[in-house]
């Protein structure tokens, strides 16, 4: 299936969208555009003012993700996010339903020693969920790279086969809409 995204043509196999809709795959997004790198020194997880946050471009990207998913008949997915504000805001701006924070999706940019453990914990948590409704996750570049070997740009998504493994089996890469 060819989709017009951001003025250019990208091909995403129907089978990848089908797998996502049927609960045989999940969509893992890197949070939308939030200018900068990492977080300011001394940031506080529960205080968005202390973190790097989405800009207007990022909020628009997130809304376009919601529109794209609705066009793919994914209207009420199970939606999980890192607890970082830029990830939570990406998930909320998609306007697809309630967002559940999942610590296994939290950034380990400042704690790379925990990457392997946290990646295994994410796989265990996701694989323990019942199959069924589509699953959408919002996380960070370091987490996605550790899981899949792919270095995603801000707002990029990967459709990954379930059960989730390391390395993950990538069915499709979807650029930011």
């Amino acid at each position: 299936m060819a989709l017009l995204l951001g003025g250019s043509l990208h091909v995403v196999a129907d089978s990848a969208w089908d797998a996502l809709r049927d609960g045989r795959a999940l969509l893992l997004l890197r949070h939308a555009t939030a200018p900068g790198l990492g977080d300011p020194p001394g940031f506080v997880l529960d205080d968005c003012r202390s973190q790097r946050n989405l800009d207007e471009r990022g909020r628009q990207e997130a809304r376009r993700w919601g529109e794209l998913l609705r066009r793919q008949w994914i209207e009420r997915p199970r939606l999980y996010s890192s607890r970082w504000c830029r990830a939570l805001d990406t998930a909320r701006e998609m306007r697809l339903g309630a967002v559940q924070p999942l610590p296994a999706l939290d950034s380990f940019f400042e704690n790379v020693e925990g990457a392997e453990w946290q990646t295994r914990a994410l796989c265990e948590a996701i694989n323990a969920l019942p199959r069924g409704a589509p699953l959408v996750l919002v996380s960070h570049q370091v987490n996605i790279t550790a899981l899949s070997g792919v270095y995603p740009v801000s707002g990029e998504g990967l459709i990954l086969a379930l059960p989730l493994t390391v390395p993950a089996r990538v069915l499709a890469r979807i650029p930011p809409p």
Side-chain angles (χ1 to χ4, degrees):
M1 164 179 271
L3 297 172
L4 187 59
L5 299 175
S8 59
L9 192 62
H10 299 280
V11 177
V12 177
D14 284 337
S15 59
W17 288 116
D18 289 342
L20 178 59
R21 275 189 295 275
D22 295 345
R24 294 178 287 116
L26 62 83
L27 175 63
L28 177 58
L29 298 176
R30 180 178 176 186
H31 62 77
T33 300
L37 180 66
D39 282 293
F43 86 96
V44 177
L45 190 57
D46 294 330
D47 182 1
C48 292
R49 295 169 301 173
S50 72
Q51 298 181 33
R52 181 166 61 96
N53 292 292
L54 300 182
D55 61 7
E56 183 55 32
R57 177 179 166 196
R59 285 187 288 281
Q60 289 174 8
E61 285 170 359
R63 287 190 289 269
R64 286 192 303 268
W65 263 111
E67 293 165 6
L68 173 59
L69 289 170
R70 282 186 286 280
R71 284 194 308 271
Q72 289 299 320
W73 302 287
I74 300 168
E75 297 177 357
R76 293 312 243 176
R78 293 173 291 168
L79 192 53
Y80 292 90
S81 173
S82 156
R83 295 176 295 168
W84 265 242
C85 295
R86 58 188 171 270
L88 285 166
D89 289 344
T90 297
R92 290 176 183 138
E93 287 287 336
M94 287 191 283
R95 299 177 181 144
L96 294 170
V99 178
Q100 298 179 57
L102 181 63
L105 291 168
D106 289 352
S107 176
F108 48 74
F109 183 79
E110 296 290 333
N111 181 24
V112 292
E113 308 83 47
E116 186 177 332
W117 172 87
Q118 191 170 326
T119 303
R120 277 196 316 270
L122 175 62
C123 289
E124 290 172 10
I126 296 306
N127 291 335
L129 293 172
R131 296 290 188 261
L135 185 58
V136 176
L137 312 177
V138 182
S139 193
H140 306 268
Q141 175 272 311
V142 292
N143 303 67
I144 296 168
T145 302
L147 178 63
S148 68
V150 173
Y151 189 104
V153 298
S154 293
E156 183 175 357
L158 304 176
I159 297 178
L160 305 176
L162 289 171
L164 200 53
T165 59
V166 179
R169 189 163 59 99
V170 178
L171 302 178
R173 285 183 74 170
I174 307 168

